[in-house]
Amino acid sequence: IASISSIIYFFKGSPESIKFKKSLNDEISRIISEKDSSDLDPSKIVLYLEQELKKNPNDLEGWLILARTCMFLGHIQKADLYYKSALKFFPEDEIILYEYSLLKKNYNQIESAIKLLNILKKINPENIDARKNLVELFILTKNKNKKMNELNFIKKNLKVDKIWLEKVEKDLSNF
């Protein structure tokens, strides 16, 4: 059966697909070594990183690039999947948590974004970007108490630009 399948595939299939993995690896290696991103096809990056991360899932940068590339291509569900996968290997990575929360926020999954930022806040209470985003999410959810708690913490403990603070306080007055 294997011989017959191989013969049928040889005549009906594409011989190039057998060499695809090697040619993809060669192409990505060439682009990396020449530092020439003009030929870079984002879909090929996704395929390449999917293969590489199966072999070495402990590559933080690989997960980040894969998830970001999927977002760039508009593959939101795949980006979500890859951020979630990255968190399995790096559950306390601030960048993954923050970027994943932004993805959730941008696609109106506000409670999920808040949950991710709360995890990040426990890991690093002084992460100003996480705190600022929490305030903005609490404004969206009209949760005045939590927003005020975050804002008070920021005012007391963190250096934040005055323009952002004025904007938030203006939004607060419209609350």
Side-chain angles (χ1 to χ4, degrees), residues 5-172:
S5 296
S6 298
I7 292 170
I8 291 172
Y9 182 79
F10 181 75
F11 288 107
K12 295 288 184 184
S14 170
E16 192 173 296
S17 67
I18 296 171
K19 298 178 185 177
F20 178 74
K21 185 177 178 181
K22 182 177 177 355
S23 81
L24 178 63
N25 287 340
D26 291 345
E27 183 177 346
I28 298 291
S29 296
R30 179 190 58 78
I31 289 169
I32 291 169
S33 66
E34 295 174 5
K35 295 184 171 116
D36 177 20
S37 61
S38 63
D39 293 352
L40 204 54
D41 178 358
S43 353
K44 288 183 178 179
I45 292 173
V46 169
L47 291 171
Y48 176 77
L49 287 172
E50 286 172 340
Q51 291 174 11
E52 292 301 306
L53 289 168
K54 281 180 185 174
K55 291 187 264 182
N56 178 18
N58 290 314
D59 179 3
L60 173 62
E61 287 299 315
W63 286 113
L64 288 170
I65 293 169
L66 180 57
R68 291 170 183 162
T69 305
C70 288
M71 281 191 348
F72 171 77
L73 291 171
H75 303 307
I76 304 311
Q77 289 177 327
K78 278 184 127 180
D80 187 278
L81 171 71
Y82 293 132
Y83 277 121
K84 195 179 298 180
S85 297
L87 281 175
K88 289 178 186 172
F89 295 98
F90 307 96
E92 294 188 350
D93 186 82
E94 292 182 44
I95 296 170
I96 295 170
L97 287 163
Y98 183 74
E99 288 185 14
Y100 195 19
S101 75
L102 291 178
L103 175 73
K104 295 290 190 178
K105 176 184 174 185
N106 290 336
Y107 289 93
N108 292 320
Q109 297 176 15
I110 305 302
E111 292 304 318
S112 295
I114 290 171
K115 182 180 174 185
L116 290 163
L117 290 172
N118 279 325
I119 293 168
L120 176 50
K121 186 173 79 169
K122 286 178 186 171
I123 294 167
N124 181 2
E126 295 183 9
N127 187 312
I128 188 70
D129 292 326
R131 294 285 187 154
K132 286 169 64 174
N133 270 296
L134 273 170
V135 169
E136 292 170 6
L137 290 169
F138 292 143
I139 289 171
L140 286 173
T141 61
K142 300 186 186 323
N143 192 328
K144 190 173 184 175
N145 290 336
K146 288 185 179 182
K147 180 182 57 108
M148 289 306 297
N149 289 341
E150 287 301 321
L151 204 51
N152 288 334
F153 180 87
I154 290 171
K155 285 180 183 178
K156 289 178 188 173
N157 301 301
L158 304 173
K159 293 180 182 178
V160 66
D161 64 80
K162 293 187 189 296
I163 295 170
W164 179 84
L165 200 52
E166 288 171 5
K167 178 191 173 288
V168 168
E169 287 176 339
K170 181 181 176 189
D171 290 344
L172 186 76

